[in-house]
Amino acid sequence: MRDVWITDWTPSIRWPHYTRANAGEVLPTPASPLGQTFSWENGMCQGWRDGYVRVGSFSLDEFSTVRPEATGFFGGYFYINLSNVRMQGVRSPFVTVEQLDLAFFGDHPEIPPYTAHPLDDRPDLVPKIEAHFGWITSAITFPEADDEKAASIAFRAGRPDLTTRTDAELVARARSTQAPLAKLFETHTVTSSSSGVAPGILFAVGEAIGDPTVPMKLVAGIGDVDSAEPSYRLWELSRQVRVSAELTAAFDAGIAGLLDRLRASSNSDGQSFLEAWASFIFEFGSRGPNEWEMSADSWETDPRVALSALDRIRFQHDHEAPSIRNAAKAAERSGLIAEVRAKAATVGPELAGSLEAALVATNQLALRERTKTNLVRYVNEGRVVFRELARRHSAAGNLHDPRHFMMLLDNELDAFVTDAAAFTDVLAERYAEWLELWDLEPPFFIVDGVVPPISSWPRKRDVSAKRAVAGDVLQGVPGCPGVVRGRARIVADPASAGELEPGDILIAPLTDPSWTPLFMAAGGVVVNVGGQISHAIIVSRELGLPCVVSVEGATKRIPDGAQIEVDGSTGRVTVLSVPG
């Protein structure tokens, strides 16, 4: 195994700390060479840099033009530049490094301490930061994100019949997503970097009034969260299945071949479901596990994941509807706001003013989900183009396997179209080496720019964790308030959740928004990684599901089938009993 992967970056000397926290939710697996170079390096990473500059945290000259240091890729794995993120706390008079660390990265024991650099202090940027902070604490809407949502939907609707296009036309179609990806990620960085403000201020408010549970309670049930919308639609589909004998029988027969069986049936329930399903896929087919990675399947390219979630949701009773859960959280939030306002007023007008600013700033959490959803639509449009190119060149014998197509680099696409056969063996070799990276456990932190040689990384199967026993308490970061007891179900893959039953506690390695439909089939959620503003945590708060994140090694430490208690307000997961 080589010690440096073909697409790896050189660590920054100026910004030397990187982390997999939050990055592990965005790209849990090694990035494919084409996915990394095409959509990230020549699209989203450029926008990430521009977004940082736009909000005032940096000046443009602090970044490289190529591979800007906001992120990094090492051993094929995606990292967020921790040093960059911390500058928002160092240079802003409104939030601290400690607050940002908790919000973005959770309470990880190995997080490197902040060490000041002579160039960190930038008083010239403060006026722009203050202006942006004023926007965060006053903006109720974000028309730019709304316009970009409309544009992304229109781009999807304008997709041509890809099978009739030439190779060159397909590459041009894919390349037409790169500029939007850069611009959309600039917008996403505005909302993403802003989304830590409300939890940070609310943390201070909670400390001042003696209630540390205030932050997560006041960011629950905020409403209008785009990444929660697919869950609501899947719930509606599950109700169709639940009341139909034919659909119930079709699902009971298994997910494999389900849609084909329904298409072969003339039953009206089946046809009605297929129409609703087609509409669902058109609107939300861009979602999926690992949806930022172009080589990964989306719900459109492989509907089994969404169908598997639907198969679990159909067993929930009507009173578990997400709309009911959301209404309960919204009502709880409304009541708590009045209570906290009264307590803050007794402390003083400054704290009361901070509370009001934070309440407005919670809108950034929903806006962040909108800007991410817009991005994912464009990523999927590139994905389906590359799937068509891979299909036809595999059929022509130019690829040993269609999956090898994603081993190309962005700057090799045109040469591939000209002479695909010249790449056949090269891509096969790269694919074999890329698969080796999947077996490795990447360092959670890269400190001081020192990347251990890839050959020294442990294999995932060799990474062990002490199994929990009855009475053990695992501490994580509060995700969504509430206490629930139930049976632990370890789910490593959202497409394989067949034993998850109503009331079970979903124990997952990570949960990006594509996992969240499974939340509706569970009584609570525990996740290995994540911070207080993780995408899936925002959704869990909308669905009113007790949730704890950043429970290190939860999927290995908690025995499948154990009875556990999850306290989403304190972040404590208590093992009550284990299977005998």
Side-chain angles (χ1 to χ4, degrees):
M1 177 179 293
R2 64 176 78 200
D3 281 333
V4 178
W5 178 234
I6 58 172
T7 56
D8 278 1
W9 292 21
T10 301
S12 171
I13 297 175
R14 172 67 180 90
W15 313 105
H17 299 328
Y18 298 81
T19 180
R20 281 285 289 164
N22 200 243
E25 300 168 50
V26 174
L27 282 180
T29 62
S32 64
L34 187 54
Q36 176 184 324
T37 57
F38 185 93
S39 60
W40 282 97
E41 293 184 13
N42 294 326
M44 293 183 284
C45 290
Q46 306 297 316
W48 202 319
R49 171 203 62 210
D50 295 343
Y52 272 167
V53 173
R54 176 174 168 178
V55 302
S57 298
F58 297 87
S59 57
L60 188 60
D61 59 2
E62 293 184 281
F63 292 101
S64 299
T65 302
V66 178
R67 294 181 168 178
E69 294 87 345
T71 62
F73 287 86
F74 307 105
Y77 286 87
F78 175 63
Y79 283 78
I80 291 174
N81 190 299
L82 174 56
S83 302
N84 272 189
V85 171
R86 283 175 165 169
M87 284 305 98
Q88 298 168 75
V90 172
R91 293 172 173 177
S92 170
F94 306 107
V95 292
T96 67
V97 169
E98 293 75 20
Q99 290 168 348
L100 285 172
D101 280 354
L102 180 62
F104 281 92
F105 308 115
D107 189 19
H108 197 284
E110 298 176 13
I111 190 167
Y114 166 67
T115 302
H117 186 281
L119 297 178
D120 285 355
D121 189 25
R122 289 289 302 269
D124 59 306
L125 295 176
V126 172
K128 192 173 182 180
I129 292 172
E130 290 178 335
H132 180 64
F133 187 85
W135 175 77
I136 295 171
T137 54
S138 63
I140 304 297
T141 61
F142 193 12
E144 183 178 341
D146 296 339
D147 292 343
E148 289 173 348
K149 178 178 181 177
S152 68
I153 293 172
F155 190 80
R156 164 64 185 94
R159 181 196 299 173
D161 181 353
L162 302 179
T163 63
T164 66
R165 296 305 196 261
T166 66
D167 286 4
E169 288 171 334
L170 289 177
V171 171
R173 167 76 179 178
R175 289 212 183 282
S176 71
T177 68
Q178 288 180 303
L181 285 174
K183 178 59 183 71
L184 289 170
F185 214 99
E186 175 191 321
T187 313
H188 180 57
T189 302
V190 170
T191 59
S192 186
S193 63
S194 302
S195 58
V197 170
I201 298 175
L202 291 173
F203 177 79
V205 171
E207 281 194 325
I209 67 174
D211 185 356
T213 68
V214 161
M216 78 284 305
K217 289 180 179 178
L218 288 186
V219 295
I222 55 179
D224 199 25
V225 174
D226 282 18
S227 53
E229 191 175 351
S231 298
Y232 286 97
R233 290 287 294 277
L234 279 173
W235 178 267
E236 294 171 4
L237 285 167
S238 77
R239 298 308 90 182
Q240 282 187 246
V241 176
R242 191 172 175 83
V243 299
S244 167
E246 189 210 10
L247 292 175
T248 295
F251 273 84
D252 286 345
I255 297 302
L258 170 66
L259 296 178
D260 289 335
R261 293 196 301 273
L262 292 177
R263 292 186 185 104
S265 170
S266 60
N267 183 279
S268 59
D269 286 355
Q271 298 309 306
S272 177
F273 175 85
L274 288 172
E275 291 176 8
W277 179 258
S279 175
F280 172 81
I281 289 297
F282 182 85
E283 293 186 51
F284 306 112
S286 56
R287 315 277 357 192
N290 206 5
E291 58 197 7
W292 294 96
E293 167 53 47
M294 298 183 89
S295 68
D297 278 303
S298 62
W299 290 346
E300 177 182 5
T301 61
D302 185 355
R304 290 177 301 167
V305 174
L307 287 171
S308 294
L310 180 55
D311 184 46
R312 297 296 89 200
I313 298 168
R314 68 187 174 105
F315 293 110
Q316 283 282 27
H317 295 287
D318 290 347
H319 66 266
E320 294 290 345
S323 58
I324 296 175
R325 290 182 177 184
N326 176 263
K329 284 299 174 189
E332 180 182 338
R333 179 176 190 260
S334 180
L336 184 62
I337 287 174
E339 179 184 329
V340 175
R341 275 177 172 152
K343 291 180 178 179
T346 64
V347 175
E350 184 176 345
L351 188 69
S354 294
L355 172 62
E356 297 307 315
L359 292 175
V360 175
T362 59
N363 288 301
Q364 296 298 322
L365 298 169
L367 293 174
R368 179 189 189 219
E369 297 308 291
R370 174 153 299 173
T371 56
K372 186 200 173 183
T373 301
N374 296 343
L375 274 160
V376 168
R377 288 195 186 96
Y378 277 96
V379 171
N380 193 57
E381 290 308 297
R383 174 185 289 118
V384 295
V385 166
F386 291 153
R387 289 294 173 99
E388 171 57 23
L389 282 166
R391 181 199 63 78
R392 64 176 62 172
H393 282 284
S394 178
N398 297 323
L399 297 171
H400 295 312
D401 186 306
R403 292 172 292 185
H404 295 177
F405 182 84
M406 294 303 298
M407 298 301 103
L408 286 164
L409 304 177
D410 185 5
N411 60 15
E412 294 173 338
L413 273 173
D414 293 333
F416 178 86
V417 167
T418 301
D419 184 9
F423 288 86
T424 305
D425 294 334
V426 172
L427 298 182
E429 182 180 348
R430 283 183 192 171
Y431 183 72
E433 293 180 350
W434 182 62
L435 289 183
E436 292 184 34
L437 300 176
W438 285 62
D439 293 334
L440 304 180
E441 186 68 43
F444 197 76
F445 290 105
I446 289 175
V447 180
D448 294 328
V450 178
V451 182
I454 296 175
S455 60
S456 71
W457 293 10
R459 296 191 177 276
K460 291 176 180 175
R461 62 176 176 269
D462 296 332
V463 178
S464 60
K466 183 181 178 181
R467 298 283 280 182
V469 299
D472 282 355
V473 177
L474 284 63
Q475 185 64 50
V477 173
C480 181
V483 178
V484 63
R485 290 187 173 192
R487 178 179 59 175
R489 278 303 183 203
I490 312 299
V491 179
D493 182 349
S496 303
E499 295 187 358
L500 184 68
E501 297 180 359
D504 286 348
I505 310 300
L506 172 64
I507 315 293
L510 59 99
T511 51
D512 64 21
S514 68
W515 281 70
T516 53
L518 283 178
F519 288 15
M520 293 184 294
V525 176
V526 176
V527 190
N528 288 3
V529 297
Q532 288 187 349
I533 58 170
S534 303
H535 296 286
I537 305 315
I538 295 171
V539 178
S540 75
R541 290 166 180 162
E542 288 304 293
L543 301 178
L545 196 68
C547 180
V548 175
V549 300
S550 199
V551 180
E552 189 173 1
T555 51
K556 292 186 176 181
R557 295 190 62 194
I558 299 174
D560 188 59
Q563 290 293 317
I564 65 174
E565 178 182 272
V566 177
D567 189 332
S569 298
T570 65
R572 290 164 61 91
V573 179
T574 305
V575 179
L576 304 174
S577 65
V578 298

